[in-house]
């Protein structure tokens, strides 16, 4: 048989998706660890929902006339014809789970966070992918303005802990189902005289969903949008009071923000407070995270009235920003490996394996090669792997029962019995 394997084109990852490789994955872990730690400090607990959901969950909550639902969802018919969608966001899923498990019966607040992949068929570019990751937090069961302010305080703490500066918190209120229709009417009227000069999407939205015009990204439309009426000037007294209370609370907490009248966000379920944090290090895709209040979402998907407030952080962009911020401050990444075990001669392999197991059980990060190698090659490999120490076990060490422990950067060497090595290394590594 002819070997044809070299004629087959290698299969590549799908457009807009990517592999995350070490050492970058170390940065992702750091971002996730810091998020978990910060969420825990504010009493959030983790929720994990499925990636696959019924399509109606998103069309009803995110909104039929949004870019996400109209153009970006990965939707397909399952074998039994049920329409399924790879989640484009997770707030709707969290609220679905909240309703499905009757968490509202517990008569208390629920503070939940999630970390995971989302899917949107957008045009890929730096910071924008078709499979991307979000770290999100949701508070269900209260419309108190301090819930909004506390979450924003938490987000600022998280970004600071990750070493970020140069970010801005943009804030707006989009009113509620009582006052927004009146504003939408005003907006629709204002659009009638200018829409002919706008992009095709805006011309359509001016009639179907005028609010969406405000988040149009087309450059030529921007001066027109700037002159449209602002929603904050059309809030009813309750929404106005709520927004004033949020900003007053933020002032008390010392959380800085900028009022941003156009910030309506690309999803239909938002009510009252909306926000975004942008970062100056990110370039074109500068929105690091966004969110807001969604007091009507539960009812949109068949649940009881449940106020909610949440955030979705773009993890891909957060990692980019953290990497960017760390560039000027730190040298090369810290070593991932504590010890490399270099053994010479067949008789040394078994004791080397035993030592590796002991050191690993003691919590040290250990590597051992199984192919026989000369000392020089083994030490070369140890330094390539970034090992802080090497333990050398050859014929001489086997006969004395004392192994050589080499500090890879200082070059100094010490002779120790195997049982002493773990303690010695732990003390040395802690310095
Ligand atoms: P959204 O769910 O649209 O409110 O987005 C929340 C955050 O998720 C944004 O601020 C971005 O940081 C991030 N995000 C949204 N879409 C993408 C994407 N296609 N690729 C990477 N990050 C995204």
């Amino acid at each position: 048989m002819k070997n044809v394997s070299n004629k087959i084109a290698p299969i590549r990852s799908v457009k807009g998706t990517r592999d995350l490789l070490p050492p970058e994955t170390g940065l992702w872990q750091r971002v996730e660890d810091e998020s978990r730690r910060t969420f825990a400090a504010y009493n959030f607990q983790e929720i994990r929902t499925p990636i696959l959901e019924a399509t109606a969950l998103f069309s009803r909550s995110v909104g039929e006339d949004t870019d996400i639902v109209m153009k970006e969802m990965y939707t397909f018919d399952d074998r039994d014809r049920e329409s399924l969608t790879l989640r484009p966001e997770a707030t709707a899923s969290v609220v679905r789970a909240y309703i499905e498990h009757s968490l509202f019966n517990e008569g208390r607040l629920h503070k939940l966070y999630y970390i995971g992949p989302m899917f949107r068929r957008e045009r890929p570019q730096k910071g924008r992918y078709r499979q991307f990751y979000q770290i999100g937090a949701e508070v269900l069961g209260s419309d108190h303005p301090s819930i909004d302010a506390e979450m924003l305080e938490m987000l600022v703490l998280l970004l600071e802990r990750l070493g970020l500066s140069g970010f801005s918190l943009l804030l707006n209120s989009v009113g509620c189902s009582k006052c927004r229709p009146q504003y939408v009417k005003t907006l629709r009227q204002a659009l009638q005289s200018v829409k002919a000069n706008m992009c095709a999407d805006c011309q359509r939205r001016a009639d179907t969903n005028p609010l969406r015009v405000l988040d149009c990204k087309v450059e030529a439309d921007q001066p027109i949008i700037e002159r449209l009426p602002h929603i904050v000037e059309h809030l009813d007294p309750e929404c106005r009071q709520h927004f004033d209370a949020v900003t007053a609370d933020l002032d008390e907490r010392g959380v800085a923000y900028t009022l941003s009248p156009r910030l309506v966000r690309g999803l239909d379920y938002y009510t009252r407070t909306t926000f975004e944090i942008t970062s100056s290090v990110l370039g074109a895709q500068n929105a690091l995270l966004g969110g807001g209040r969604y007091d009507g979402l539960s009812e949109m998907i068949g649940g009881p009235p449940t106020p909610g407030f949440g955030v979705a952080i773009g993890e891909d962009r957060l990692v980019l920003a953290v990497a960017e911020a760390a560039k000027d401050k730190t040298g090369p990444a810290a070593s991932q490996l504590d010890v490399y075990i270099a053994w010479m001669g067949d008789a040394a392999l078994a004791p080397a394996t035993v030592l590796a197991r002991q050191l690993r059980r003691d919590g040290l990060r250990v590597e051992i090669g199984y192919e026989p190698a000369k000392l020089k090659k083994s030490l070369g490999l140890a330094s390539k792997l970034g090992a802080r120490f090497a333990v050398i076990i050859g014929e001489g060490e086997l006969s004395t029962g004392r192994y050589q422990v080499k500090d890879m950067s200082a070059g100094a060497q010490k002779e120790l019995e195997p049982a002493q090595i773990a303690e010695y290394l732990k003390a040395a590594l802690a310095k």
Side-chain angles (χ1 to χ4, degrees):
M1 228 174 88
K2 264 202 304 191
N3 179 0
V4 292
S5 66
N6 58 355
K7 291 192 183 150
I8 296 175
I11 296 171
R12 304 182 59 98
S13 58
V14 173
K15 183 174 174 188
T17 71
R18 56 209 179 111
D19 302 306
L20 302 170
L21 306 175
E24 199 199 343
T25 39
L27 202 52
W28 284 71
Q29 285 173 2
R30 196 181 139 222
V31 162
E32 288 170 16
D33 290 348
E34 206 59 88
S35 303
R36 290 179 195 279
R37 182 165 84 96
T38 307
F39 293 155
Y42 283 77
N43 194 30
F44 282 78
Q45 290 178 304
E46 187 176 9
I47 180 169
R48 299 189 189 198
T49 61
I51 286 168
L52 270 183
E53 294 275 6
T55 302
L57 175 65
F58 305 111
S59 49
R60 278 202 229 153
S61 58
V62 173
E64 293 280 7
D65 193 48
T66 56
D67 277 353
I68 294 180
V69 173
M70 286 187 68
K71 311 188 217 169
E72 297 171 0
M73 292 204 305
Y74 285 94
T75 296
F76 60 95
D77 279 350
D78 199 358
R79 288 170 198 268
D80 61 4
R81 303 262 160 80
E82 189 190 1
S83 180
L84 301 180
T85 293
L86 295 180
R87 63 179 184 194
E89 61 108 48
T91 301
S93 302
V94 172
V95 176
R96 178 201 49 68
Y98 176 88
I99 299 165
E100 195 164 327
H101 302 282
S102 306
L103 300 186
F104 47 83
N105 280 338
E106 293 175 17
R108 63 176 178 93
L109 273 191
H110 282 83
K111 297 169 101 174
L112 302 165
Y113 79 87
Y114 61 83
I115 300 178
M118 309 294 154
F119 303 84
R120 295 183 197 172
R121 201 172 191 289
E122 296 194 82
R123 197 168 45 76
Q125 63 182 87
K126 188 174 180 206
R128 190 161 73 192
Y129 312 99
R130 290 182 172 180
Q131 175 173 335
F132 61 101
Y133 294 79
Q134 285 186 338
I135 301 176
E138 317 284 351
V139 183
L140 293 158
S142 168
D143 65 358
H144 198 289
S146 292
I147 297 287
D148 310 24
E150 186 186 76
M151 170 93 79
L152 296 170
E153 173 195 278
M154 175 176 83
L155 293 170
V156 170
L157 173 65
L158 173 60
L159 299 187
E160 285 172 357
R161 281 180 165 177
L162 287 168
L164 297 191
S165 53
F167 53 83
S168 338
L169 168 58
L170 309 176
L171 197 65
N172 193 23
S173 171
V174 294
C176 67
S177 57
K178 279 183 270 154
C179 59
R180 197 164 33 191
Q182 189 54 43
Y183 168 71
V184 171
K185 216 163 144 188
T186 309
L187 187 61
R188 188 174 273 130
Q189 274 162 7
L191 280 166
Q192 289 317 304
S193 54
V194 292
K195 70 175 184 189
N197 303 321
M198 302 185 81
C199 70
D201 275 345
C202 280
Q203 296 196 14
R204 181 177 49 79
R205 289 169 180 153
D207 299 316
T208 57
N209 193 346
L211 266 190
R212 291 279 77 82
V213 170
L214 300 182
D215 45 43
C216 167
K217 301 285 185 294
V218 175
E219 203 54 51
D221 288 358
Q222 302 310 308
I224 303 173
I225 295 171
E226 290 303 330
R227 289 194 296 274
L228 292 169
H230 290 169
I231 192 162
V232 273
E233 281 140 30
H234 294 80
L235 300 178
D236 65 20
E238 290 80 23
C239 289
R240 181 75 249 174
Q241 207 179 6
H242 191 274
F243 193 49
D244 289 344
V246 172
T247 52
D249 193 338
L250 287 173
D251 292 338
E252 267 174 39
R253 291 170 196 259
V255 174
Y257 55 87
T258 307
L259 295 179
S260 176
R262 274 183 55 187
L263 187 71
V264 292
R265 318 264 313 125
L267 300 87
D268 275 358
Y269 55 60
Y270 285 115
T271 54
R272 295 189 165 171
T273 317
T274 54
F275 65 92
E276 214 164 82
I277 291 185
T278 56
S279 163
S280 55
V281 300
L282 281 179
Q285 300 302 317
N286 68 350
L288 202 53
L289 59 86
R293 184 156 278 293
Y294 46 83
D295 294 342
L297 172 55
S298 172
E299 287 148 288
M300 284 173 159
I301 56 175
T306 307
F309 186 81
V311 63
I313 305 171
E315 189 177 2
D316 309 71
R317 295 183 195 175
L318 185 54
V319 168
L320 273 173
V322 171
E324 204 56 47
K327 244 188 208 164
D328 340 317
K329 289 185 204 130
T330 52
S335 164
Q336 290 288 315
L337 191 64
D338 297 325
V339 192
Y340 187 85
I341 300 185
W343 56 273
M344 270 76 55
D346 287 349
L349 177 57
T353 311
V354 169
L355 180 68
R357 190 182 67 177
Q358 272 168 5
L359 297 182
R360 284 168 170 160
R361 285 182 173 214
D362 269 312
L364 294 166
R365 295 169 296 187
V366 179
E367 188 55 288
I368 172 171
Y370 291 107
E371 298 295 341
K374 298 230 163 67
L375 181 61
K376 196 167 163 215
K377 188 172 174 203
S378 287
L379 290 181
L381 200 55
S383 66
K384 208 185 250 173
L385 292 173
R388 303 268 309 273
F389 288 87
V391 176
I392 300 163
I393 314 175
E395 232 174 80
E397 286 75 22
L398 287 181
S399 64
T400 59
R402 292 167 76 83
Y403 302 167
Q404 302 284 341
V405 179
K406 184 181 174 77
D407 182 327
M408 293 296 290
S409 53
Q413 230 161 271
K414 201 172 166 65
E415 242 183 41
L416 290 171
E417 283 173 19
Q420 301 170 317
I421 293 178
E423 285 317 309
Y424 172 78
L425 287 176
K426 276 201 264 181
L429 288 162
K431 274 186 206 152

